[in-house]
Amino acid sequence: MNIEEVAFTLIAHAGQAKSFAFDALKKARENKFDEADELIQQSQIEVNKAHKGQMDLLVSEANGQKTEVSILLIHSQDHLMTCMLAIDLIKEMIEMLKEKEKGEN
């Protein structure tokens, strides 16, 4: 796979992961926690696919293969990292909503 394909793969999987995570938060706000948990699992699957692409680049670089850096590659890395942060924060927010729901019952 060339660098552009890797970058677009990272962007696609990270974007899908972030979308699942925000859908999970919406479900959690509706107290649909089982659905939220399923969406978070789907989000994690997608982010893992993106992370694998990133790791493949890192391993290649560690093995001496230089990676041509482009704005597209930088964008894909930024997209992945903000996605990972969003997922972590959304997981915490869902846990807070679960605790709130338990406290109200």
Side-chain angles (χ1 to χ4, degrees):
M1 210 182 294
N2 67 37
I3 294 301
E4 288 82 18
E5 290 172 326
V6 171
F8 282 120
T9 298
L10 290 175
I11 292 167
H13 287 298
Q16 187 64 54
K18 188 166 66 170
S19 180
F20 280 137
F22 276 98
D23 288 346
L25 180 58
K26 182 179 179 188
K27 292 297 181 185
R29 292 182 68 187
E30 297 169 356
N31 294 330
K32 297 177 180 176
F33 296 113
D34 289 340
E35 290 178 52
D37 291 341
E38 176 61 33
L39 286 163
I40 285 294
Q41 287 178 0
Q42 290 177 6
S43 177
Q44 204 60 58
I45 289 168
E46 289 298 317
V47 81
N48 289 344
K49 289 176 184 177
H51 193 253
K52 183 193 178 310
Q54 181 187 48
M55 288 303 298
D56 290 346
L57 287 175
L58 291 170
V59 168
S60 291
E61 184 104 1
N63 288 331
Q65 281 186 278
K66 293 295 178 189
T67 302
E68 181 183 329
V69 177
S70 67
I71 295 298
L72 181 61
L73 184 59
I74 292 168
H75 175 69
S76 72
Q77 295 295 307
D78 183 52
H79 204 61
L80 176 58
M81 297 312 296
T82 56
C83 162
M84 292 170 78
L85 177 60
I87 292 168
D88 288 344
L89 289 171
I90 288 169
K91 285 179 181 179
E92 289 298 319
M93 293 170 77
I94 290 171
E95 288 306 311
M96 290 169 55
L97 289 167
K98 286 179 179 179
E99 289 172 9
K100 179 182 175 212
E101 177 67 15
K102 284 181 186 176
E104 291 177 358
N105 289 331

